[in-house]
Amino acid sequence: VQSAIVVHGGAGAIEPAREEACRAGCRAAAASGWQVLKAGGTARAAAVAAVRTLEENPEFNAGLGACLTRTGSVELDAAVMCGQRFSLGAVGAVVGVESGILLADAILEDGEHIFLCGEGAVAFAREKGLTLCPPDALITPRARNRLRKWMEKREARMSEPPPESVTPDGDSLDRGTVGAVAVDAQGHYAAATSTGGMVGKRPGRVGDTPLIGCGTYADDRAGGAASATGHGEQIARVLLCRTAVDYIAGGMTAAAAARASLDVLRNRTSASAGIILVDREGRLGHHRTTKTMPWASVVDDKVEDGV
Ligand code: ASP
């Protein structure tokens, strides 16, 4: 298998004015992961490096620029999984830690547990010497704006007759969760995903991102890895990433598995979403049923991107 990496910057409907910034952010992230692979690094290290690059970029809903809960706080979810031994690390609803993905990676490295949330996760981060930050350090003006808009819409909704559907329209949300999947020269697969979740979520809510098989999954034996983005409550119902990797195990290409898994999501929950994949041959796949999902990939030093 040849090494390869693909990243996404969240399914949704970004305004045309932000398109180029998001694509450029994805290209930079894919390139940072590719540098790791090229230097002989692992798929895990590459995926984590790419996701960290996107967390540092305030355009995306992860790390700096993460979206806000309805009480105005940032709570991070993140996960990383290696397909070789099913090793994984995940965090949910973490406040006051600079990087969700570095914390998830430290949990994977430590190996005792697979999932830490809330205060215990912060204590673990402190113990491991990860960078802590004041609770509001990751809040950007754009994130504040998005919460304000969410609140205005919610008020408008509340003064209307009861809604027919409680499923938020996938396209109406400008999301920006980030993820990366990679395969390295040893043929090992990894997936990493990081997010602030959904704007206006309840404090304490954890989405699909850190739930293994839902927002993140990798399996060397299947020969695939996946990272998903979209409405977490719906993605989790169909274990979207595990579903996609199962399709790869069954012989589908990454591109076909991306489509087939999003069909399952649509048929079972009527939700739209986005997913990136790498398959047995190291082929990359990306697909979305939302209006946009910025992505970028690198294979053989060749960068591709889109939205
Ligand atoms: N899947 C994320 C969540 O529900 C949101 C997103 O992908 O934008 O937490």
Side-chain angles (χ1 to χ4, degrees), residues 51-52 55 62-63 76-80 89-91 94 97-107 130 138 193-195:
V51 165
R52 182 63 194 133
E55 282 185 343
L76 305 176
D77 295 346
V80 54
V91 293
V94 169
V97 174
E98 205 173 72
S99 167
I101 201 63
L102 294 182
L103 179 51
D105 197 50
I107 291 167
L130 297 182
L138 301 172
T193 316
S194 178
T195 188

Side-chain angles (χ1 to χ4, degrees), residues 11 13 19 66 149 176 178 205 211 225 250 267 270 280 284 287 305:
E19 223 179 271
K149 280 197 192 128
V178 307
R205 178 264 190 190
L211 302 180
N267 292 336
S270 62
R280 314 186 74 86
L284 301 171
H287 192 58
D305 74 304

Side-chain angles (χ1 to χ4, degrees), residues 86-156:
F86 278 178
S87 47
L88 52 101
V91 293
V94 169
V95 180
V97 174
E98 205 173 72
S99 167
I101 201 63
L102 294 182
L103 179 51
D105 197 50
I107 291 167
L108 185 155
E109 183 65 38
D110 181 70
E112 182 182 2
H113 297 306
I114 59 166
F115 199 141
L116 293 176
C117 54
E119 279 170 25
V122 180
F124 178 87
R126 189 177 296 118
E127 201 182 301
K128 294 291 173 184
L130 297 182
T131 311
L132 304 185
C133 62
D136 58 359
L138 301 172
I139 300 179
T140 59
R142 207 172 75 81
R144 280 217 173 84
N145 247 326
R146 290 176 70 189
L147 180 62
R148 194 176 38 74
K149 280 197 192 128
W150 181 87
M151 295 214 153
E152 283 165 10
K153 269 198 187 156
R154 184 165 167 248
E155 252 157 51

Side-chain angles (χ1 to χ4, degrees), residues 3 32-46 183-188:
S3 326
S32 67
W34 178 250
Q35 288 314 315
V36 173
L37 292 172
K38 219 178 148 179
T42 63
R44 165 190 164 196
V183 57
D184 60 32
Q186 276 68 50
H188 299 312

